[in-house]
């Protein structure tokens, strides 16, 4: 199937982008695996005619916002994100009428319609740079409360917090980390900022998914505990074959990130089924907030 996919990609002038949480076989056939920031940047720069996005719906939407002239395929339209579903344009409007006109920083794990109402987007890799680039004493951060609380602890700004979360990261406990440390003495603990505060505070490093890969590569340590969705373990082991990676807990699995199969990719490339498009009325304002984020380095 890998050969069939690579042949179809060539024939159709298509590129396959995969998030670091995708199943191993999808990562292995992809042109690029990455975190949300890297995938957004790559989607904005490719000259392919078709982008096959192996991830979840908001990621394919972001690719379409950045490249409206391209066909963006999400091989499973039901691959969504429960965190993105915690916010709508209506609920954001209601919050803004309560707070007044504060700048809105929106995590890319959000619907395009919410990005369109936001001042700037951020990812877990650039959240602090984005917040510190804003010339205002107060901001609203949506939709991840854990990422917002993490950001609030690293800035002098007043951060109003939307009460959404990733159910997978939010359920990791301090006890899970303690048990993993006991099982693997001497291992370094890498934690994603979508985890709760007490878990983040037990970390040796707080990083995005690709940040974890770079950190593990550069570290002199050979054993790591990985506190994020367990799909990243494959990426880490591919990148650092001489090092050991242990999951912080077996339950760190996102079913949405595991929906796309090799058969789905083939079907989507053959039929061009599963196209994601963002209407211009949403796309143009959403593009401004995504581009502002990409410009912040
Ligand atoms: P990053 O790869 O940007 O750290 O994203 C984490 C995530 O939850 C994506 O769904
Ligand atoms: Fe959404 Fe969490 Fe799954 Fe990422 S891991 S897609 S934030 S539910």
């Amino acid at each position: 199937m890998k050969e069939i996919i690579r042949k179809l990609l060539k024939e159709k002038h298509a590129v396959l982008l995969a998030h670091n949480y995708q199943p191993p076989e999808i990562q292995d056939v992809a042109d690029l695996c990455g975190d949300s920031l890297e995938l957004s940047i790559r989607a904005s720069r490719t000259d392919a005619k078709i982008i096959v996005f192996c991830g979840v719906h908001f990621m394919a939407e972001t690719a379409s916002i950045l490249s409206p002239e391209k066909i963006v395929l999400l091989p499973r339209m039901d691959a969504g994100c429960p965190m993105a579903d915690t916010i709508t344009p209506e609920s954001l409007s209601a919050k803004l009428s309560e707070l007044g006109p504060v700048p809105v920083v929106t995590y890319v794990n959000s619907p395009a319609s919410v990005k369109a109402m936001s001042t700037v987007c951020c990812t877990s890799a650039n959240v602090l740079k984005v917040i510190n680039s804003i010339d205002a004493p107060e901001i609203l951060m949506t939709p991840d409360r854990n990422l917002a609380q993490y950001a609030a602890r690293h800035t002098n700004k007043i951060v109003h917090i939307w009460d959404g979360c990733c159910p997978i990261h939010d359920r990791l406990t301090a006890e899970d980390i303690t048990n993993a440390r006991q099982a693997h003495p001497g291992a370094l603990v890498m934690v994603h900022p979508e985890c709760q505060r007490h878990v983040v505070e037990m970390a040796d490093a707080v990083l995005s998914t690709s940040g974890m890969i770079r950190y593990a590569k550069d570290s002199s340590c050979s054993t790591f505990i990985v506190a994020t969705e367990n799909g990243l373990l494959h990426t880490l082991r591919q990148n650092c074959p001489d090092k050991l990676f242990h999951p912080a807990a077996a339950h760190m699995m996102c079913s949405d990130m595991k929906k796309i199969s090799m058969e789905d990719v083939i079907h989507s490339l053959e039929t061009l089924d599963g196209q994601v498009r963002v209407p211009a009325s949403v796309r143009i304002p959403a593009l401004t907030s995504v581009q502002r984020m990409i410009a912040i380095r």
Side-chain angles (χ1 to χ4, degrees), residues 19 21 35-36 58-59 107 109 124 192 194 208-209 257:
H19 188 266
Y21 295 157
D35 67 8
S36 310
F58 73 79
M59 296 180 171
Y107 193 27
N109 301 30
S124 57
H192 196 280
E194 287 176 19
S208 76
T209 56
M257 278 288 182

Side-chain angles (χ1 to χ4, degrees), residues 194-229:
E194 287 176 19
C195 294
Q196 289 191 45
R197 178 179 184 160
H198 53 274
V199 172
V200 167
E201 285 177 347
M202 294 171 86
D204 293 301
V206 182
L207 299 157
S208 76
T209 56
S210 290
M212 290 186 189
I213 299 168
R214 284 188 287 274
Y215 180 83
K217 270 187 179 165
D218 294 347
S219 170
S220 55
C221 187
S222 60
T223 312
F224 300 84
I225 292 162
V226 184
T228 191
E229 207 278 341

Side-chain angles (χ1 to χ4, degrees), residues 19 21 36 55-59 79-85 107 109 144 165-170 192 194 228-229 252-258:
H19 188 266
Y21 295 157
S36 310
V56 292
H57 192 266
F58 73 79
M59 296 180 171
C81 169
M83 180 194 315
D85 294 343
Y107 193 27
N109 301 30
D144 185 7
C165 70
C166 164
I168 288 83
H169 288 82
D170 195 63
H192 196 280
E194 287 176 19
T228 191
E229 207 278 341
M252 298 290 282
M253 293 289 275
C254 172
S255 54
D256 283 283
M257 278 288 182
K258 308 300 176 211

